Amino acid sequence: MKTWHKTGCVLCAQNCGLEVLVEDDRILRARPDKDNPRSQGYACRKGLNIVYHQYPRDRLTTPLKRSGNGFKEITWDQAINEIADKLQNIVTQHSPRSLAYMGGSSQGGHFEASFGVSLLRAMGSQYYYSSAGQEFSGIWWVLGRMLGRQYYTITPDEHAAEMLVGWGWNGMMSHQMPQARKTLTGFSKDPDRLLVVIDPRKSETAAIADIHLAVRPGADALLAKAMIAIIVQEGWEASDYITQHVEGWERIRPWFADFDCRSALDVCQLDDALVHQVCRLMTTKRWCMHPDLGIYMGRHSTLNSYMLNILEAICGRLCVPGGNIIPGMVMPMGFHADERSPNIWRTAETAMPPAAAGSFPPNVMPEEILADRPDRLRAVLVSACNPLRSYADTRMFEKAFDRLELLVVNDIVMSETARRAHYVLPCRSYYETWDGTFFPWTFPGVFFQLRRPVVTPPEHCLESSQIFTRLADRLGLIPDIPDHIRKAAAGDRLTFGIHLMEWAGKTPDVQKRMPFVLAKTLGHEWNSGALAAAWGMLMTAPKTFRKNAARAGFQTGLDQGDRIFQALLDTPQGLWVGKADIADNWEAICTPSGKIEVFIPELAEEAENLNAICEIEGLKMPPDFPLILNAGRHMDTTMNTLMRNPEWNKGKRACTIAVNPLDADSYGLMDGQLARIVTKAGSAVGELQVSDQVRSGTVLIPHGFGLICEESVYGINVNQLTQNTHRDPLGTPIHRFIPCRIENPSA
Ligand SMILES: Nc1nc2c(c(=O)[nH]1)N[C@H]1C(S)=C(S)[C@@H](COP(=O)(O)OP(=O)(O)OC[C@H]3O[C@@H](n4cnc5c(=O)[nH]c(N)nc54)[C@H](O)[C@@H]3O)O[C@H]1N2
Ligand SMILES: Nc1nc2c(c(=O)[nH]1)N[C@H]1C(S)=C(S)[C@@H](COP(=O)(O)OP(=O)(O)OC[C@H]3O[C@@H](n4cnc5c(=O)[nH]c(N)nc54)[C@H](O)[C@@H]3O)O[C@H]1N2
Ligand code: SF4
Ligand SMILES: [Mo]
């Protein structure tokens, strides 16, 4: 019998609602779920092709151990025993600093992170690396300084805005906002609303914009400084708002008061009048901004974020309706890892702080492994990520991983990283187990969907949560759980909760090991550590969420979390679990002054000195690499490394080296022929695409290719062209500004 099941897309952070048709325990196809309150029947081509993700050709079904050049199948007991012993030896012999966990930021599964981080912490290490550390280190660090918390991701409140500014964001292809295409075309078509796009090229989003500022690649910080300066020089800033809510403006105002805007805009290759027009709109309209990888992975990453936030602050657009707001969230995405605190570790070799709300940037990991020091990294637990394709500089990562004494990979497939591991552990896919949505994209509503298993996992597959729990157990890191607590787990959840809290109150370490305790009790009953962790998260949610939940109809009380949990179980399409209030934004700000702090001492010199003259130098390309590679184009045919079966793109031009017609002409290259791209890190040959979407002087290649499928490589692994050292001071890769050249391989 065929049955439709409600679930969600696990491919990107939007997690749009899907319904999947299941027959004989197999997903046949997917359609958008109209009942999902956040996505409301919206889904893109990728989500509709979810079967290709769920049924890859290289699915793992049993634990594997490296043996010579290949792998041999082993039992779970053997895998857990051997890995635990090795971990213990490495940490005892060297130091806890020799251990890292890399994972926890997949777009479909969120609960493993609390287990991975708990295991790491229980073994004495703070070295948690994640994908967030290669996207958001700069912006989250800046938010930590300006608003007081690194996880106060300022989300655009687009529904209440008259103008949406997409800066370095191609939402028509990458989404990154609920119902992105619908929202963007809505802005574009509505005569009363405006879409402004700041992007060097005519992206799919720029193409429908009311105003497109085609900024020179890498010149965003300079442009933002010029825009702030225009506003200051014209006297357009939001004075009342600044007086009331902003601290430090008088101190930094001189950076802009005499700034030479015209020369700066010349360097940015932008029209003075058009930029003035945008500045006027920014000081008269209700607007919000969506910056993205063009800014975060762009040249000057952290400085870009600083400048953009100052711009928003002086226009009075932070923490106001229709502006950029601190969203309501069930749980913060990490913690405030202020590197000035002596309790926060830096990396040993590169002295990098965990600026992305507690996670370190993957870019520094190869140096941390290859370092010549006793406390270098020696053991890495990788889970739900694929560093050997996703992170910069595959060759450096391979070299580093080959030096590890222990590399363990949890995955559903034999990924490129798994192929180099000592142990490969087979996981349940996100359609075979429980997990949830997490990203706070909406305001004032707070959305949550508890995704349930819709098909049975292969017999020997486990959740990463369960794997980490087994390891912690074998390592003796979980306190002995009394019988009455175990038994209570089979009964009423609230009674269990009361017993658990009573025991936790008088037993050391229980609080710190809570994910494991939950997994071994409720998780044992429910066959899911993730589901147990979801219950635990709701039961111990922070006060701000409890308040939001009460506004959404879940009255406060000891059982509030449990009632929300039950409602989520009863509502498979997801639910509004909270309603935020803008007034709480101002209370949330926890800087020393209690206001938005625009003076950041560490960035002051760079910000003050930024001008046309130094940027003319900084933007000059070396003679042997005259072009700029944008290593990471997002299209309907790309999805990180989550779609491994090339058939999903059959007949499509998925992975090309794209250039502008002018550049193709000048190099004597034709659409469809082979071209070679060369960077400092390496070279690759692929199909050339000639397209007006590419800005002259630049080259576009998607990421997420170079995947091995049935022993042949599919597409270009763009990270063989990137260097892990080509990065911002906080570790973010500068993937949008890589010096390169194009050659004719047959010449
Ligand atoms: N189809 C598809 N969608 C995805 C993904 C995917 O793999 N495929 N991945 C998801 C993930 S994990 C993420 S993080 C998001 C990323 O989503 P986006 O950040 O929207 O992705 P990009 O394509 O990098 O878009 C950034 C835009 O920045 C522009 N840009 C490049 N250089 C500069 C510059 O110097 N200045 C400015 N102002 N702009 C510049 C590019 O031309 C591009 O149009 O996408 C998500 N969605
Ligand atoms: N050059 C370049 N590189 C980039 C980017 C770029 O723009 N340019 N963008 C980057 C960005 S924004 C991001 S977010 C990263 C993403 O990089 P990664 O964090 O590596 O994410 P994915 O490619 O999604 O890889 C997820 C891995 O998880 C596995 N997986 C899927 N489901 C499960 C499961 O249920 N359990 C377990 N244990 N594993 C599972 C998949 O098989 C896959 O191997 O890549 C980035 N890499
Ligand atoms: S926008 Fe993202 S979550 Fe939605 S269907 Fe597409 S890939 Fe999936
Ligand atoms: Mo990402």
Side-chain angles (χ1 to χ4, degrees):
M1 202 179 71
K2 293 183 187 172
T3 333
W4 287 99
H5 293 261
K6 287 194 185 296
T7 179
C9 176
V10 299
L11 297 177
C12 96
Q14 290 310 313
N15 300 128
C16 299
L18 292 179
E19 289 184 294
V20 289
L21 187 62
V22 176
E23 185 181 34
D24 296 334
D25 211 13
R26 197 178 164 87
I27 299 177
L28 302 179
R29 62 190 168 87
R31 69 182 182 198
D33 183 7
K34 293 196 183 72
D35 295 332
N36 181 298
R38 183 171 62 175
S39 60
Q40 298 178 321
Y42 177 94
C44 77
R45 168 177 188 260
K46 304 185 294 294
L48 299 178
N49 277 291
I50 201 72
V51 284
Y52 287 102
H53 168 72
Q54 167 62 22
Y55 301 112
R57 293 193 184 140
D58 47 1
R59 181 70 198 261
L60 297 167
T61 53
T62 181
L64 300 172
K65 179 183 181 180
R66 169 163 298 285
S67 160
N69 285 333
F71 287 92
K72 66 172 189 222
E73 296 187 0
I74 55 171
T75 62
W76 272 110
D77 281 345
Q78 185 185 347
I80 297 293
N81 286 336
E82 290 185 11
I83 295 168
D85 286 344
K86 286 183 183 167
L87 280 173
Q88 190 66 67
N89 282 341
I90 291 169
V91 167
T92 315
Q93 260 188 40
H94 303 284
S95 95
R97 287 187 180 259
S98 50
L99 171 65
Y101 155 56
M102 179 179 247
S105 61
S106 106
Q107 326 268 330
H110 298 288
F111 287 104
E112 75 149 71
S114 56
F115 292 84
V117 171
S118 294
L119 177 63
L120 190 73
R121 292 260 168 179
M123 297 208 71
S125 172
Q126 293 185 10
Y127 290 143
Y128 168 41
Y129 288 75
S130 82
S131 281
Q134 49 98 58
E135 299 173 84
F136 307 127
S137 292
I139 175 65
W140 289 3
W141 182 86
V142 165
L143 290 172
R145 287 294 201 273
M146 290 181 79
L147 301 177
R149 291 288 176 267
Q150 290 166 348
Y151 51 79
Y152 281 171
T153 57
I154 42 172
T155 305
D157 180 22
E158 73 277 5
H159 291 294
E162 298 166 306
M163 180 167 94
L164 171 61
V165 178
W167 200 328
W169 171 50
N170 186 15
M172 289 298 282
M173 281 294 143
S174 67
H175 302 265
Q176 301 285 80
M177 175 179 276
Q179 308 182 40
R181 280 186 189 160
K182 215 171 131 201
T183 305
L184 285 164
T185 46
F187 269 93
S188 166
K189 285 189 180 149
D190 187 338
D192 297 325
R193 292 193 299 164
L194 286 171
L195 176 64
V196 176
V197 170
I198 307 180
D199 193 310
R201 68 189 184 96
K202 199 171 178 190
S203 68
E204 291 82 353
T205 312
I208 62 160
D210 295 285
I211 300 176
H212 174 202
L213 294 182
V215 61
R216 175 168 171 185
D220 300 274
L222 187 66
L223 170 60
K225 186 168 184 183
M227 290 170 85
I228 299 166
I230 290 170
I231 291 168
V232 169
Q233 290 167 21
E234 297 286 352
W236 289 339
E237 66 257 53
S239 306
D240 292 347
Y241 175 98
I242 295 173
T243 310
Q244 208 181 337
H245 299 301
V246 178
E247 174 71 22
W249 174 234
E250 282 313 312
R251 196 155 175 188
I252 67 169
R253 201 172 177 278
W255 301 348
F256 308 98
D258 302 317
F259 185 72
D260 178 357
C261 300
R262 193 170 284 267
S263 308
L265 294 181
D266 276 350
V267 174
C268 296
Q269 297 169 352
L270 286 171
D271 176 58
D272 196 62
L274 192 60
V275 177
H276 264 79
Q277 188 194 340
V278 173
C279 291
R280 193 63 197 131
L281 289 167
M282 284 181 165
T283 44
T284 48
K285 294 261 172 212
R286 204 165 61 237
W287 66 278
C288 60
M289 193 196 296
H290 188 122
D292 219 313
L293 296 186
I295 284 301
Y296 306 145
M297 289 186 176
R299 190 171 160 268
H300 284 316
S301 168
T302 303
L303 186 63
N304 289 342
S305 292
Y306 183 34
M307 286 293 156
L308 265 53
N309 282 356
I310 297 175
L311 175 62
E312 287 197 79
I314 64 150
C315 294
R317 299 315 303 156
L318 292 175
C319 307
V320 296
N324 284 69
I325 44 79
I326 303 170
M329 41 198 149
V330 183
M331 271 284 279
M333 296 193 292
F335 69 102
H336 182 58
D338 191 328
E339 79 285 357
R340 293 168 299 190
S341 154
N343 301 329
I344 300 288
W345 284 11
R346 287 175 179 254
T347 53
E349 181 71 8
T350 52
M352 188 62 76
S359 86
F360 289 90
N363 263 323
V364 300
M365 186 179 263
E367 286 145 279
E368 296 300 327
I369 298 170
L370 295 168
D372 188 18
R373 54 190 311 142
D375 59 352
R376 69 180 183 84
L377 282 184
R378 292 165 196 267
V380 181
L381 304 175
V382 168
S383 190
C385 63
N386 190 4
L388 292 187
R389 286 299 172 273
S390 300
Y391 301 147
D393 217 329
T394 308
R395 201 164 329 151
M396 280 305 280
F397 259 99
E398 285 175 350
K399 191 173 158 199
F401 278 8
D402 286 350
R403 196 184 175 211
L404 285 174
E405 287 159 33
L406 181 65
L407 176 62
V408 180
V409 173
N410 297 346
D411 207 306
I412 59 170
V413 297
M414 197 62 180
S415 71
E416 291 64 30
T417 310
R419 285 165 180 264
R420 268 187 140 79
H422 298 107
Y423 294 89
V424 181
L425 304 178
C427 291
R428 297 178 184 173
S429 85
Y430 298 126
Y431 294 100
E432 297 160 355
T433 188
W434 292 89
D435 220 295
T437 54
F438 213 73
F439 295 100
W441 297 111
T442 46
F443 190 86
V446 182
F447 176 79
F448 202 86
Q449 182 186 21
L450 204 50
R451 251 192 351 263
R452 61 207 51 222
V454 291
V455 286
T456 315
E459 190 187 346
H460 298 296
C461 292
L462 294 179
E463 291 171 348
S464 286
S465 318
Q466 294 169 322
I467 298 172
F468 290 136
T469 303
R470 282 202 185 186
L471 281 172
D473 214 4
R474 173 61 174 62
L475 284 157
L477 299 170
I478 312 179
D480 281 335
I481 300 170
D483 264 358
H484 76 280
I485 305 258
R486 286 177 190 274
K487 286 197 186 116
D492 166 65
R493 290 189 303 258
L494 277 177
T495 315
F496 166 78
I498 292 164
H499 286 306
L500 178 67
M501 290 330 289
E502 197 184 47
W503 174 58
K506 55 186 191 210
T507 318
D509 279 355
V510 175
Q511 289 290 1
K512 277 193 272 178
R513 311 283 190 264
M514 195 50 93
F516 302 130
V517 171
L518 287 169
K520 282 192 69 178
T521 50
L522 289 180
H524 179 74
E525 294 296 323
W526 300 344
N527 188 15
S528 171
L531 186 61
W535 181 79
M537 175 187 79
L538 289 162
M539 289 299 285
T540 56
K543 222 167 62 204
T544 44
F545 173 69
R546 291 176 178 274
K547 206 164 141 189
N548 289 338
R551 282 193 202 104
F554 296 99
Q555 281 173 355
T556 38
L558 276 178
D559 63 340
Q560 187 196 37
D562 191 70
R563 277 183 277 119
I564 299 173
F565 184 75
Q566 189 58 50
L568 288 165
L569 289 176
D570 296 340
T571 323
Q573 66 268 32
L575 191 65
W576 296 112
V577 292
K579 187 163 185 252
D581 187 321
I582 195 73
D584 292 343
N585 261 232
W586 297 111
E587 272 174 43
I589 294 175
C590 43
T591 52
S593 64
K595 294 184 175 185
I596 300 166
E597 299 205 348
V598 289
F599 176 67
I600 302 184
E602 292 88 341
L603 295 176
E605 195 183 328
E606 210 185 341
E608 187 173 6
N609 293 340
L610 183 73
N611 63 26
I613 296 164
C614 67
E615 284 297 86
I616 289 173
E617 267 320 294
L619 286 160
K620 251 188 207 151
M621 302 307 288
D624 47 344
F625 296 120
L627 302 174
I628 299 165
L629 168 64
N630 175 345
R633 182 183 192 182
H634 293 74
M635 297 178 290
D636 267 347
T637 44
T638 71
M639 195 55 250
N640 292 354
T641 72
L642 290 169
M643 300 287 259
R644 301 181 63 82
N645 183 341
E647 265 172 40
W648 89 290
N649 277 331
K650 210 169 164 190
K652 297 199 182 302
R653 272 180 117 175
C655 185
T656 60
I657 300 173
V659 296
N660 182 273
L662 290 173
D663 293 322
D665 269 0
S666 73
Y667 289 95
L669 293 164
M670 307 255 288
D671 187 86
Q673 78 162 97
L674 289 181
R676 178 184 295 118
I677 171 141
V678 187
T679 65
K680 248 186 179 175
S683 72
V685 174
E687 181 193 332
L688 192 86
Q689 181 181 8
V690 179
S691 164
D692 278 325
Q693 271 194 359
V694 189
R695 183 187 175 104
S696 173
T698 71
V699 181
L700 277 182
I701 303 182
H703 71 96
F705 287 91
L707 302 180
I708 304 168
C709 182
E710 291 176 341
E711 296 318 307
S712 51
V713 177
Y714 169 53
I716 296 171
N717 166 21
V718 78
N719 282 319
Q720 77 199 52
L721 300 168
T722 60
Q723 283 184 306
N724 68 313
T725 48
H726 186 56
R727 64 181 182 233
D728 174 80
L730 287 174
T732 314
I734 307 301
H735 280 325
R736 302 292 174 264
F737 199 92
I738 299 171
C740 74
R741 66 170 176 270
I742 293 278
E743 295 172 351
N744 189 339
S746 52

